Amino acid sequence: MTIERFVRGMPKVEVNLQFEGAIQHETLIVIAEQNDVPLKNKRYKHWLKQLEQVDYANLHELIKEVSKWIQQPEDFTRIVYEIGVSLAKQNVQYAEIGFAPSLYADNGLTFEQLLTALNDGRERVQRAWNVQLRWILNGVREEPQSIDDVIKWSSGS
């Protein structure tokens, strides 16, 4: 057995994966099209180019924009499932995924709806691939109020 084969086969843990950074590009485009984003957003092609060649100085702006494209509970469930499949293929058995709910606050879903959709994807991944996912709720650094919101949401206040 080679070292490469051994490393590929050994169980792994992912402890600092960010939801927005783990979304597959192709999935995001399909979701955007299903939600009619190309028709509603005049700068859609600009944002697609930004996704292909990320300018890290403007990463927060890009994340804020594309988070608006994810609008339906099924979108979140699909993304989580696809993240889980990708992790399973790398033999990751446990992952902690950072998720910033405030990025999705204007998408028309409540925190409970978001969490239900995320957990639906998580349960599907657990059943199909035996990968355990856990959520780490994040606030957005550029938006200090979002930290208060996350605390309120997570504590049920």
Side-chain angles (χ1 to χ4, degrees), residues 132-148:
Q132 292 184 15
L133 304 177
R134 297 293 181 262
W135 309 120
I136 306 297
L137 298 180
N138 296 332
V140 178
R141 182 179 307 157
E142 290 81 358
E143 300 170 11
Q145 178 61 36
S146 72
I147 297 168
D148 291 338

Side-chain angles (χ1 to χ4, degrees), residues 39 66 94 107 112 134 140 153:
L39 300 174
V66 299
Y94 174 84
N107 293 17
E112 289 76 21
R134 297 293 181 262
V140 178
W153 290 328

Side-chain angles (χ1 to χ4, degrees), residues 16-29:
N16 193 23
L17 188 61
Q18 297 301 309
F19 180 81
E20 294 75 22
I23 300 171
Q24 295 178 17
H25 189 156
E26 299 79 22
T27 301
L28 186 59
I29 292 170

